[in-house]
Amino acid sequence: MHTSDSDSVFLDGGDPNAGSAVMTVVSAHHEELVIVTVQGSIDVLTAPELSAAVEAALSGQPRGLIIDLTTTEFLASAGMTALVAAHEAIAPTGLFGVVAEGPVTARPLQLMGLDQTLTLYPTLAHAVADMTGPE
């Protein structure tokens, strides 16, 4: 897997020396997939950073996009909106999946009924295996 990009959003307006990161986004390539890993909180302040990372990831026209929320600590409605937009941006030709398990990520997506629209995976390994398997 090749890590290509990392961005952080900070509470204090962007000075990395003055505050702690609310969200970190790292993009990595695995075969024809791009994996966007989000650590921290996805809310109204940080969702645009996720959207920008998705836009950058899709610029290379990958076969599929996985958004890994394994280390996400908070998922607000703005984050869910960004996930739906990411799905719409790659559909219908590309594969899309969200790694979400547990009360912080999977539960809100299920409560909003987004598990009916987005493909959810319990682990990154499950997502990669499903998307790199035979077509």
Side-chain angles (χ1 to χ4, degrees):
M1 203 173 316
H2 170 69
T3 301
S4 62
D5 202 6
S6 176
D7 292 303
S8 296
V9 176
F10 296 90
L11 276 173
D12 60 46
D15 182 355
N17 298 320
S20 60
V22 175
M23 183 180 82
T24 301
V25 180
V26 177
S27 296
H29 297 271
H30 178 78
E31 296 182 18
E32 296 179 39
L33 305 175
V34 176
I35 302 165
V36 176
T37 303
V38 183
Q39 181 177 9
S41 298
I42 309 173
D43 57 23
V44 70
L45 296 175
T46 60
E49 185 70 26
L50 173 58
S51 297
V54 166
E55 185 177 326
L58 295 181
S59 69
Q61 300 181 345
R63 178 173 179 237
L65 173 66
I66 299 171
I67 299 183
D68 183 1
L69 304 179
T70 303
T71 57
T72 299
E73 299 166 358
F74 179 73
L75 179 61
S77 60
M80 291 184 241
T81 300
L83 293 174
V84 171
H87 176 258
E88 291 172 353
I90 196 168
T93 58
L95 302 171
F96 182 77
V98 177
V99 179
E101 181 68 21
V104 173
T105 55
R107 183 80 174 133
L109 292 168
Q110 292 164 344
L111 286 172
M112 296 303 293
L114 293 177
D115 59 327
Q116 303 301 308
T117 303
L118 308 175
T119 303
L120 301 183
Y121 296 97
T123 67
L124 181 57
H126 282 98
V128 170
D130 187 48
M131 290 191 189
T132 58
E135 293 184 33

